[in-house]
Amino acid sequence: QVQLVESGGGLVQAGGSLRLSCAASGSGFIINVMAWYRAAPGKQRELVASVTGDGITTYGTSVKGRIAVSRDNAEDTLFVEVHSAKPDDTAVYYCNAVARDQLTSRENYYWGQGTQVTVSS
């Protein structure tokens, strides 16, 4: 079982930066992909950014060009910083991990509980 602990978020002024981190813990697994998604009221959940264990990064279209992402593989932690925050960035942000069970080689998806980010204009 993988546990995801999210931190960051809260209230951000428009034009500022929102910072999020997610730490995965547990044993007997290998984290293949770590990602952040977000869900705004009335909208579908969308990708913010994802990083594979090999460092291949994918950015969501809504934040592309104003996002910095880094992953610490040793600590299984993902850091995201979105610059030039807009009110449209207001959403619940969810950490996601795709982990392979070392015993069964089965991949499972895990989600954090979500953290609210509100960008005020």
Side-chain angles (χ1 to χ4, degrees), residues 12-118:
V12 179
Q13 294 288 328
S17 296
L18 68 93
R19 300 175 182 85
L20 303 167
S21 65
C22 175
S25 63
S27 61
F29 64 89
I30 294 174
I31 300 287
N32 289 332
V33 182
M34 292 193 75
W36 277 98
Y37 286 79
R38 69 185 188 184
K43 295 184 179 180
Q44 286 189 332
R45 190 173 295 191
E46 64 174 2
L47 175 71
V48 177
S50 67
V51 185
T52 69
D54 296 332
I56 297 172
T57 304
T58 302
Y59 301 104
T61 54
S62 299
V63 296
K64 207 168 188 177
R66 56 187 184 96
I67 185 172
V69 182
S70 63
R71 174 173 169 175
D72 183 336
N73 286 338
E75 299 293 330
D76 283 327
T77 303
L78 181 68
F79 302 92
V80 161
E81 184 169 341
V82 178
H83 310 293
S84 303
K86 312 171 185 178
D88 284 348
D89 292 323
T90 296
V92 178
Y93 285 70
Y94 297 92
C95 181
N96 165 262
V98 181
R100 180 169 61 83
D101 188 300
Q102 289 182 289
L103 198 59
T104 66
S105 295
R106 180 179 176 180
E107 276 196 342
N108 293 305
Y109 288 73
Y110 298 90
W111 291 92
Q113 62 182 13
T115 182
Q116 175 70 46
V117 173
T118 302

